[in-house]
Structure formats: structure tokens, C-alpha cells
Amino acid sequence: MNIDPLQKRKISGELYTRRSITTKVIKESLGWSFDELIDRASIRDRRHSDYIPSEVLVYYLRQTKSDNADGRFIRLYDILRDRVEAACPRASRHVGDKIHEDARLAEIRDATVDHVTELMFTDRQNYDEQLDIYEVVFDKAVRSAHITKLRKVNRRENASEDVEDAVTGEVRAVVEAALERYKKGDLTAEDDLDYRIHVRRAINALPTDEREVIDLMLADIPIETNKDGERSMTELLGCVEKTVRNRRDRAFAKIRQALALEVDNGK
């Protein structure tokens, strides 16, 4: 049985490829029965020798459409849905002997799960390239989807603030301030729109880990926080403060360089 390549392409034009460990497990599992695959997929402990990476399960989920097996699809989908939810920050916490759920975080979690669920079902009808990234880096893809939903909730809650351009997307003051010396004064409305397009284009071209930091900045998420129940970048990205700051600084440097190059090229 051949393992078909993914179809989504990077900005460079190169196809996304599965990680070697994913391909290795897929090849090893080709001789298993479906029940054996499900038994191993039910293992949640990543340290267990029989643990199946989520990327492998996404591969098998997509394969079920070739045999039109709804039952197989649903069994895999149920496991993956649980893994998507587990990959989101917890919305509930223990306070004494009671469990309190943060309604805002629960809304973002549910929106994330619904988004990934929709991708799985649309892919079943017609190949959806957006699901390819879940075969490459499942947890990171879920985290990215979670950040996107978080930004939407933040924009809704801060709707009274002039923080979003309806045409070009959002570029908040915290980013513009860091790039201010690259923005000429007394811009016309047309020039200001052009500037925002360049900034958004530069942000979109960043590597994923750096773009995530900028996206969280746009959503007003602090790098670290002492406020009870408030999310921080270190928690959402799963890394220490120094790493977040390094990614932020690299992102700013690349955005500045991109803007300088565009100005030099007369764009």
C-alpha cells in the first residue's frame, strides 16, 4: 500500500511532508487490524510504547473515505476529537472541592474543536488541504487554531476599540509601535492602507513559531501573567519566557527587514 503525499504547499512552493516518525508508524501499522489500531489509539500516555501519534490517526481517518466506512471514520473521529480538546488549555480548575469552568476559555476550546471537526468532515467529502498540517504537526496545528479562535473572541470583546482594518486584517498598536520608524509621517489614507498591507504580508511570511507570538500580541495576550485565570504566551506556546521574547525579537527584525526591502523596491 502506497502512502500518498500531502498536497498542501508552503509559501516557498514546497509540499508539506509528514515527519519521519509518522511515516514509520504508518508503515508499521499497515499490517494491523482496525481493532488493534483503535486499541492502541485509545492509549493516552505518550510515554507508552504502543502510543499512536495523532498525526497517524489523522492519516487513517482520511483513508476511511476510500472504503466508505462511516463506522471506522466515527471511531477514529471520536478519539481525535478528544485529543483536540486535550491539546487546548484547560477551561476548568479546582478551587477547594469545587470545579470552576472559565466560560471564555470553554467557548474558545469548543470553537477550536468545532473548527477541526469541520475540517475532518469537509475533507471526507472533498480533499481539504488545511487538514494536511494536522498530519504533520497535530498539536501545533490545534494550538494555532486555538490562537485564531482566541483572537476572534478578543476582537469581539474589544469591538469598541479601533484595532482592526476590515480590508487588510488587524495590526494592533503594539506591533505598529515597534515598527514606527519604518512608517513615514503624514501618510494619506491610501498610503496608510498600503502600509498596513505590507505589515500584514510581512507577518504572514514569518515562520510559524514567530508568527504565533505576533498573533498572540495582536490578541493582547501577555508573555507572562500573575493574574488568576489569565492566559499567557508561555502557557499557550508551551515554552519559557526567554524563548517567547527571542521569537518576538526575531519576528520584529524580519518584519522590519521586509518593510525596508519593499520600500527599497518601490512597492
Side-chain angles (χ1 to χ4, degrees), residues 69-99:
D70 288 336
R72 289 156 61 99
F73 173 86
I74 293 300
R75 291 177 73 184
L76 285 165
Y77 160 74
D78 285 343
I79 293 172
L80 280 167
R81 188 183 188 283
D82 288 343
R83 292 196 181 191
V84 171
E85 184 171 333
C88 295
R90 293 182 181 178
S92 59
R93 56 192 175 90
H94 287 273
V95 179
D97 59 350
K98 296 182 179 180
I99 298 178

mmCIF file of all heavy atoms in Angstrom, residues 69-99:
data_model
loop_
_atom_site.group_PDB
_atom_site.id
_atom_site.type_symbol
_atom_site.label_atom_id
_atom_site.label_comp_id
_atom_site.label_asym_id
_atom_site.label_seq_id
_atom_site.Cartn_x
_atom_site.Cartn_y
_atom_site.Cartn_z
ATOM 1 N N ALA A 69 -16.370 3.638 4.806
ATOM 2 C CA ALA A 69 -16.717 3.039 6.090
ATOM 3 C C ALA A 69 -17.003 4.118 7.123
ATOM 4 O O ALA A 69 -16.101 4.623 7.767
ATOM 5 C CB ALA A 69 -15.580 2.129 6.567
ATOM 6 N N ASP A 70 -18.285 4.470 7.261
ATOM 7 C CA ASP A 70 -18.659 5.508 8.216
ATOM 8 C C ASP A 70 -18.328 5.102 9.646
ATOM 9 O O ASP A 70 -17.936 5.926 10.465
ATOM 10 C CB ASP A 70 -20.146 5.837 8.098
ATOM 11 C CG ASP A 70 -20.466 6.599 6.815
ATOM 12 O OD1 ASP A 70 -19.552 7.243 6.270
ATOM 13 O OD2 ASP A 70 -21.618 6.529 6.370
ATOM 14 N N GLY A 71 -18.539 3.829 9.961
ATOM 15 C CA GLY A 71 -18.270 3.354 11.316
ATOM 16 C C GLY A 71 -16.814 3.533 11.700
ATOM 17 O O GLY A 71 -16.493 3.960 12.813
ATOM 18 N N ARG A 72 -15.903 3.207 10.782
ATOM 19 C CA ARG A 72 -14.475 3.369 11.039
ATOM 20 C C ARG A 72 -14.132 4.851 11.195
ATOM 21 O O ARG A 72 -13.342 5.232 12.064
ATOM 22 C CB ARG A 72 -13.679 2.745 9.889
ATOM 23 C CG ARG A 72 -13.738 1.223 9.872
ATOM 24 C CD ARG A 72 -13.465 0.655 8.483
ATOM 25 N NE ARG A 72 -12.156 1.002 7.981
ATOM 26 C CZ ARG A 72 -11.087 0.186 8.016
ATOM 27 N NH1 ARG A 72 -11.198 -1.007 8.578
ATOM 28 N NH2 ARG A 72 -9.945 0.551 7.511
ATOM 29 N N PHE A 73 -14.721 5.667 10.359
ATOM 30 C CA PHE A 73 -14.472 7.107 10.432
ATOM 31 C C PHE A 73 -14.883 7.654 11.800
ATOM 32 O O PHE A 73 -14.126 8.392 12.440
ATOM 33 C CB PHE A 73 -15.251 7.828 9.328
ATOM 34 C CG PHE A 73 -15.200 9.338 9.419
ATOM 35 C CD1 PHE A 73 -14.148 10.047 8.849
ATOM 36 C CD2 PHE A 73 -16.190 10.042 10.093
ATOM 37 C CE1 PHE A 73 -14.096 11.440 8.932
ATOM 38 C CE2 PHE A 73 -16.151 11.428 10.185
ATOM 39 C CZ PHE A 73 -15.092 12.127 9.602
ATOM 40 N N ILE A 74 -16.087 7.305 12.253
ATOM 41 C CA ILE A 74 -16.597 7.833 13.513
ATOM 42 C C ILE A 74 -15.738 7.385 14.692
ATOM 43 O O ILE A 74 -15.473 8.177 15.612
ATOM 44 C CB ILE A 74 -18.069 7.410 13.730
ATOM 45 C CG1 ILE A 74 -18.966 8.093 12.683
ATOM 46 C CG2 ILE A 74 -18.532 7.771 15.132
ATOM 47 C CD1 ILE A 74 -18.936 9.611 12.728
ATOM 48 N N ARG A 75 -15.285 6.149 14.688
ATOM 49 C CA ARG A 75 -14.466 5.655 15.805
ATOM 50 C C ARG A 75 -13.145 6.412 15.886
ATOM 51 O O ARG A 75 -12.689 6.783 16.971
ATOM 52 C CB ARG A 75 -14.224 4.145 15.660
ATOM 53 C CG ARG A 75 -15.476 3.311 15.875
ATOM 54 C CD ARG A 75 -15.214 1.842 15.646
ATOM 55 N NE ARG A 75 -14.434 1.262 16.741
ATOM 56 C CZ ARG A 75 -14.007 -0.007 16.752
ATOM 57 N NH1 ARG A 75 -14.273 -0.800 15.702
ATOM 58 N NH2 ARG A 75 -13.331 -0.468 17.762
ATOM 59 N N LEU A 76 -12.544 6.671 14.742
ATOM 60 C CA LEU A 76 -11.295 7.441 14.729
ATOM 61 C C LEU A 76 -11.565 8.906 15.068
ATOM 62 O O LEU A 76 -10.800 9.530 15.815
ATOM 63 C CB LEU A 76 -10.632 7.332 13.357
ATOM 64 C CG LEU A 76 -9.932 6.005 13.061
ATOM 65 C CD1 LEU A 76 -9.632 5.884 11.570
ATOM 66 C CD2 LEU A 76 -8.643 5.893 13.874
ATOM 67 N N TYR A 77 -12.658 9.420 14.540
ATOM 68 C CA TYR A 77 -13.009 10.817 14.794
ATOM 69 C C TYR A 77 -13.219 11.063 16.282
ATOM 70 O O TYR A 77 -12.758 12.082 16.823
ATOM 71 C CB TYR A 77 -14.276 11.188 14.017
ATOM 72 C CG TYR A 77 -14.963 12.408 14.566
ATOM 73 C CD1 TYR A 77 -14.430 13.683 14.367
ATOM 74 C CD2 TYR A 77 -16.126 12.287 15.340
ATOM 75 C CE1 TYR A 77 -15.051 14.804 14.890
ATOM 76 C CE2 TYR A 77 -16.744 13.399 15.875
ATOM 77 C CZ TYR A 77 -16.198 14.662 15.646
ATOM 78 O OH TYR A 77 -16.797 15.758 16.184
ATOM 79 N N ASP A 78 -13.903 10.155 16.967
ATOM 80 C CA ASP A 78 -14.166 10.327 18.397
ATOM 81 C C ASP A 78 -12.861 10.433 19.190
ATOM 82 O O ASP A 78 -12.741 11.242 20.113
ATOM 83 C CB ASP A 78 -14.995 9.161 18.931
ATOM 84 C CG ASP A 78 -16.460 9.237 18.503
ATOM 85 O OD1 ASP A 78 -16.896 10.333 18.082
ATOM 86 O OD2 ASP A 78 -17.159 8.203 18.565
ATOM 87 N N ILE A 79 -11.880 9.611 18.826
ATOM 88 C CA ILE A 79 -10.589 9.640 19.521
ATOM 89 C C ILE A 79 -9.851 10.940 19.222
ATOM 90 O O ILE A 79 -9.301 11.592 20.123
ATOM 91 C CB ILE A 79 -9.735 8.425 19.112
ATOM 92 C CG1 ILE A 79 -10.376 7.133 19.626
ATOM 93 C CG2 ILE A 79 -8.305 8.562 19.649
ATOM 94 C CD1 ILE A 79 -9.712 5.871 19.125
ATOM 95 N N LEU A 80 -9.858 11.339 17.958
ATOM 96 C CA LEU A 80 -9.161 12.571 17.582
ATOM 97 C C LEU A 80 -9.833 13.800 18.188
ATOM 98 O O LEU A 80 -9.151 14.754 18.591
ATOM 99 C CB LEU A 80 -9.102 12.697 16.057
ATOM 100 C CG LEU A 80 -8.006 11.868 15.389
ATOM 101 C CD1 LEU A 80 -8.221 11.812 13.888
ATOM 102 C CD2 LEU A 80 -6.630 12.441 15.705
ATOM 103 N N ARG A 81 -11.143 13.785 18.267
ATOM 104 C CA ARG A 81 -11.854 14.921 18.868
ATOM 105 C C ARG A 81 -11.423 15.087 20.324
ATOM 106 O O ARG A 81 -11.205 16.217 20.794
ATOM 107 C CB ARG A 81 -13.367 14.700 18.784
ATOM 108 C CG ARG A 81 -14.173 15.913 19.219
ATOM 109 C CD ARG A 81 -15.670 15.622 19.186
ATOM 110 N NE ARG A 81 -16.456 16.828 19.413
ATOM 111 C CZ ARG A 81 -16.634 17.386 20.593
ATOM 112 N NH1 ARG A 81 -16.082 16.848 21.672
ATOM 113 N NH2 ARG A 81 -17.355 18.488 20.717
ATOM 114 N N ASP A 82 -11.296 13.975 21.034
ATOM 115 C CA ASP A 82 -10.835 14.034 22.425
ATOM 116 C C ASP A 82 -9.415 14.586 22.504
ATOM 117 O O ASP A 82 -9.079 15.338 23.420
ATOM 118 C CB ASP A 82 -10.884 12.653 23.062
ATOM 119 C CG ASP A 82 -12.309 12.186 23.337
ATOM 120 O OD1 ASP A 82 -13.221 13.029 23.337
ATOM 121 O OD2 ASP A 82 -12.508 10.964 23.547
ATOM 122 N N ARG A 83 -8.592 14.223 21.530
ATOM 123 C CA ARG A 83 -7.206 14.701 21.538
ATOM 124 C C ARG A 83 -7.126 16.190 21.210
ATOM 125 O O ARG A 83 -6.261 16.892 21.729
ATOM 126 C CB ARG A 83 -6.360 13.879 20.560
ATOM 127 C CG ARG A 83 -6.152 12.432 21.000
ATOM 128 C CD ARG A 83 -5.027 11.787 20.230
ATOM 129 N NE ARG A 83 -4.816 10.392 20.612
ATOM 130 C CZ ARG A 83 -3.779 9.656 20.249
ATOM 131 N NH1 ARG A 83 -2.841 10.199 19.462
ATOM 132 N NH2 ARG A 83 -3.654 8.405 20.627
ATOM 133 N N VAL A 84 -8.009 16.663 20.349
ATOM 134 C CA VAL A 84 -8.053 18.100 20.051
ATOM 135 C C VAL A 84 -8.400 18.862 21.321
ATOM 136 O O VAL A 84 -7.756 19.856 21.672
ATOM 137 C CB VAL A 84 -9.091 18.409 18.948
ATOM 138 C CG1 VAL A 84 -9.278 19.914 18.813
ATOM 139 C CG2 VAL A 84 -8.639 17.823 17.616
ATOM 140 N N GLU A 85 -9.417 18.394 22.029
ATOM 141 C CA GLU A 85 -9.832 19.065 23.262
ATOM 142 C C GLU A 85 -8.713 19.032 24.301
ATOM 143 O O GLU A 85 -8.476 20.025 24.996
ATOM 144 C CB GLU A 85 -11.092 18.392 23.825
ATOM 145 C CG GLU A 85 -11.635 19.085 25.044
ATOM 146 C CD GLU A 85 -13.006 18.559 25.463
ATOM 147 O OE1 GLU A 85 -13.738 18.063 24.590
ATOM 148 O OE2 GLU A 85 -13.321 18.661 26.664
ATOM 149 N N ALA A 86 -8.010 17.883 24.385
ATOM 150 C CA ALA A 86 -6.924 17.761 25.357
ATOM 151 C C ALA A 86 -5.760 18.685 25.029
ATOM 152 O O ALA A 86 -5.008 19.090 25.922
ATOM 153 C CB ALA A 86 -6.448 16.311 25.416
ATOM 154 N N ALA A 87 -5.596 19.016 23.745
ATOM 155 C CA ALA A 87 -4.496 19.887 23.324
ATOM 156 C C ALA A 87 -4.782 21.359 23.592
ATOM 157 O O ALA A 87 -3.884 22.193 23.499
ATOM 158 C CB ALA A 87 -4.194 19.672 21.834
ATOM 159 N N CYS A 88 -6.028 21.692 23.930
ATOM 160 C CA CYS A 88 -6.395 23.073 24.256
ATOM 161 C C CYS A 88 -6.130 23.341 25.734
ATOM 162 O O CYS A 88 -6.210 22.430 26.560
ATOM 163 C CB CYS A 88 -7.878 23.319 23.957
ATOM 164 S SG CYS A 88 -8.330 23.195 22.218
ATOM 165 N N PRO A 89 -5.827 24.592 26.089
ATOM 166 C CA PRO A 89 -5.663 24.941 27.506
ATOM 167 C C PRO A 89 -6.922 24.591 28.291
ATOM 168 O O PRO A 89 -8.039 24.732 27.795
ATOM 169 C CB PRO A 89 -5.435 26.459 27.471
ATOM 170 C CG PRO A 89 -4.857 26.716 26.121
ATOM 171 C CD PRO A 89 -5.550 25.738 25.210
ATOM 172 N N ARG A 90 -6.743 24.120 29.504
ATOM 173 C CA ARG A 90 -7.876 23.717 30.327
ATOM 174 C C ARG A 90 -8.760 24.904 30.675
ATOM 175 O O ARG A 90 -8.274 25.956 31.066
ATOM 176 C CB ARG A 90 -7.392 23.054 31.612
ATOM 177 C CG ARG A 90 -6.696 21.714 31.383
ATOM 178 C CD ARG A 90 -6.284 21.107 32.704
ATOM 179 N NE ARG A 90 -5.584 19.836 32.514
ATOM 180 C CZ ARG A 90 -5.080 19.113 33.508
ATOM 181 N NH1 ARG A 90 -5.186 19.551 34.752
ATOM 182 N NH2 ARG A 90 -4.453 17.976 33.263
ATOM 183 N N ALA A 91 -10.058 24.690 30.545
ATOM 184 C CA ALA A 91 -11.011 25.753 30.864
ATOM 185 C C ALA A 91 -11.510 25.634 32.296
ATOM 186 O O ALA A 91 -12.122 26.557 32.824
ATOM 187 C CB ALA A 91 -12.193 25.706 29.901
ATOM 188 N N SER A 92 -11.251 24.494 32.937
ATOM 189 C CA SER A 92 -11.730 24.285 34.301
ATOM 190 C C SER A 92 -10.562 24.154 35.267
ATOM 191 O O SER A 92 -9.466 23.742 34.889
ATOM 192 C CB SER A 92 -12.601 23.028 34.376
ATOM 193 O OG SER A 92 -11.870 21.888 33.951
ATOM 194 N N ARG A 93 -10.802 24.519 36.509
ATOM 195 C CA ARG A 93 -9.781 24.410 37.536
ATOM 196 C C ARG A 93 -10.447 24.105 38.867
ATOM 197 O O ARG A 93 -11.605 24.460 39.102
ATOM 198 C CB ARG A 93 -8.960 25.693 37.633
ATOM 199 C CG ARG A 93 -9.762 26.941 37.875
ATOM 200 C CD ARG A 93 -8.921 28.192 37.675
ATOM 201 N NE ARG A 93 -9.713 29.403 37.804
ATOM 202 C CZ ARG A 93 -9.909 30.058 38.948
ATOM 203 N NH1 ARG A 93 -9.327 29.617 40.052
ATOM 204 N NH2 ARG A 93 -10.643 31.141 38.998
ATOM 205 N N HIS A 94 -9.697 23.436 39.744
ATOM 206 C CA HIS A 94 -10.213 23.088 41.064
ATOM 207 C C HIS A 94 -10.001 24.247 42.025
ATOM 208 O O HIS A 94 -8.918 24.811 42.104
ATOM 209 C CB HIS A 94 -9.500 21.843 41.598
ATOM 210 C CG HIS A 94 -9.915 20.582 40.906
ATOM 211 N ND1 HIS A 94 -11.002 19.837 41.313
ATOM 212 C CD2 HIS A 94 -9.405 19.946 39.828
ATOM 213 C CE1 HIS A 94 -11.138 18.787 40.517
ATOM 214 N NE2 HIS A 94 -10.183 18.825 39.610
ATOM 215 N N VAL A 95 -11.039 24.593 42.726
ATOM 216 C CA VAL A 95 -10.963 25.582 43.806
ATOM 217 C C VAL A 95 -11.578 24.915 45.031
ATOM 218 O O VAL A 95 -12.795 24.803 45.140
ATOM 219 C CB VAL A 95 -11.727 26.879 43.455
ATOM 220 C CG1 VAL A 95 -11.637 27.862 44.627
ATOM 221 C CG2 VAL A 95 -11.173 27.499 42.188
ATOM 222 N N GLY A 96 -10.710 24.447 45.905
ATOM 223 C CA GLY A 96 -11.188 23.657 47.032
ATOM 224 C C GLY A 96 -11.728 22.336 46.540
ATOM 225 O O GLY A 96 -11.062 21.612 45.797
ATOM 226 N N ASP A 97 -12.955 22.031 46.896
ATOM 227 C CA ASP A 97 -13.566 20.778 46.446
ATOM 228 C C ASP A 97 -14.523 20.998 45.290
ATOM 229 O O ASP A 97 -15.299 20.109 44.921
ATOM 230 C CB ASP A 97 -14.304 20.099 47.608
ATOM 231 C CG ASP A 97 -15.392 21.004 48.196
ATOM 232 O OD1 ASP A 97 -15.429 22.189 47.824
ATOM 233 O OD2 ASP A 97 -16.178 20.506 49.020
ATOM 234 N N LYS A 98 -14.460 22.188 44.689
ATOM 235 C CA LYS A 98 -15.338 22.507 43.568
ATOM 236 C C LYS A 98 -14.534 22.718 42.286
ATOM 237 O O LYS A 98 -13.357 23.060 42.330
ATOM 238 C CB LYS A 98 -16.161 23.764 43.870
ATOM 239 C CG LYS A 98 -17.127 23.610 45.034
ATOM 240 C CD LYS A 98 -17.932 24.884 45.229
ATOM 241 C CE LYS A 98 -18.928 24.723 46.384
ATOM 242 N NZ LYS A 98 -19.727 25.967 46.598
ATOM 243 N N ILE A 99 -15.205 22.495 41.169
ATOM 244 C CA ILE A 99 -14.579 22.710 39.863
ATOM 245 C C ILE A 99 -15.238 23.925 39.217
ATOM 246 O O ILE A 99 -16.466 23.984 39.073
ATOM 247 C CB ILE A 99 -14.745 21.485 38.943
ATOM 248 C CG1 ILE A 99 -14.047 20.269 39.548
ATOM 249 C CG2 ILE A 99 -14.191 21.786 37.552
ATOM 250 C CD1 ILE A 99 -14.193 19.002 38.732
#
